[in-house]
């Protein structure tokens, strides 16, 4: 395990708030497509936007109340995403791949934020990378549970958690052994995560299902991310 100094890995708050906005907007757009009312739309946006942070802070870091309830700006960002999703969903839906792009950007950003907060507490790079992945995929997991879908994370399909893991690991490598400034390392890791997500989607790369014999669901077409 590689120990790091907490003061080496401070990212500007806008990385975390930006990820919350992006994921909150993806949840709001999904809720709008399902015809939810304002309350339902806000709940889905809230779970998607801060769900990963709740899992990170509540289960792993445990440094008091989750940051999203300590700082009112997180709820304000989710509210903004909800308003945009409620009033402008029809227009945003016309932009091809809008939900996919928003989700892909949020995935890399939240992976980096989870790693940064873990490194700042002195955790090793392995644990920090793992928590970064949880931070990135946790909101989508809670979103799918709320809308009563089998979680996208569990199904054979496009690279998602693997891409988040690549971004989290890259951020660790750039900041710990190579000593890059956190903001610069974060920008590169987010860009690489986004590029990998887009390329894997365009080329149709998919994760294979586990096989223990003939199984009708295993032969089904892998689920693709919502667009």
């Amino acid at each position: 395990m590689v120990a790091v100094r907490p003061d080496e890995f401070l990212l500007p708050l806008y990385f975390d708030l930006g990820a919350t906005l992006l994921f909150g907007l993806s949840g709001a757009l999904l809720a709008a497509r399902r015809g939810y009312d304002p309350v339902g739309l806000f709940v889905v946006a809230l779970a998607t936007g801060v769900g990963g942070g709740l899992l990170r802070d509540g289960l792993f870091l445990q440094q008091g109340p989750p940051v999203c309830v300590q700082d009112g700006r997180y709820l304000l960002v989710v509210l903004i995403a909800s308003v945009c999703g409620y009033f402008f969903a029809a227009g945003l839906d016309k932009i091809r791949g809008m939900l996919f792009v928003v989700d892909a950007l949020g995935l890399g950003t939240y992976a980096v934020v989870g790693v940064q907060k873990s490194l700042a507490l002195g955790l090793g790079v392995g644990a920090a990378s793992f928590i970064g992945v949880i931070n990135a995929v946790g909101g989508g997991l809670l979103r799918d549970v709320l809308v009563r879908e089998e979680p996208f994370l569990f199904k054979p399909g496009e690279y998602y958690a693997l891409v988040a893991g690549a971004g989290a690991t890259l951020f660790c490598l750039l900041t710990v052994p190579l000593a890059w400034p956190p903001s610069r390392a974060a920008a590169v890791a987010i860009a690489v995560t986004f590029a990998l997500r887009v390329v894997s989607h365009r080329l149709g790369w998919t994760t294979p299902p586990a096989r223990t014999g003939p199984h009708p669901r295993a032969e089904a077409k892998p689920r693709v991310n919502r667009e």
Side-chain angles (χ1 to χ4, degrees), residues 73-125:
R73 285 174 290 186
Y74 287 88
L75 292 181
L76 177 61
V77 164
V78 172
L79 181 61
I80 292 172
S82 301
V83 171
C84 291
Y86 187 77
F87 288 104
F88 305 113
L92 293 174
D93 235 9
K94 295 178 181 178
I95 304 175
R96 181 175 175 79
M98 177 66 183
L99 183 57
F100 174 82
V101 169
V102 167
D103 189 74
L105 285 172
L107 184 72
T109 307
Y110 248 163
V112 164
V113 168
V115 171
Q116 176 265 322
K117 290 183 179 294
S118 302
L119 292 176
L121 291 176
L123 297 182
V125 294

Side-chain angles (χ1 to χ4, degrees), residues 38 41 55 58 89-90 158 167 189 191:
L41 185 145
L55 293 175
E158 295 179 12

Side-chain angles (χ1 to χ4, degrees), residues 151-178:
F152 172 70
L153 181 64
F154 297 163
K155 289 188 174 184
E158 295 179 12
Y159 292 179
Y160 196 71
L162 292 177
V163 170
T169 302
L170 177 60
F171 181 71
C172 281
L173 293 176
L174 292 177
T175 51
V176 179
L178 300 181

Side-chain angles (χ1 to χ4, degrees), residues 11 13 39 46 51 53-54 65 74 85 92 94 100 102 130 134 168 206 216 226:
L11 279 175
L13 182 62
V39 174
L46 180 66
L54 287 174
Y74 287 88
L92 293 174
K94 295 178 181 178
F100 174 82
V102 167
F130 174 74
I134 297 298
T206 58
R226 306 179 189 87

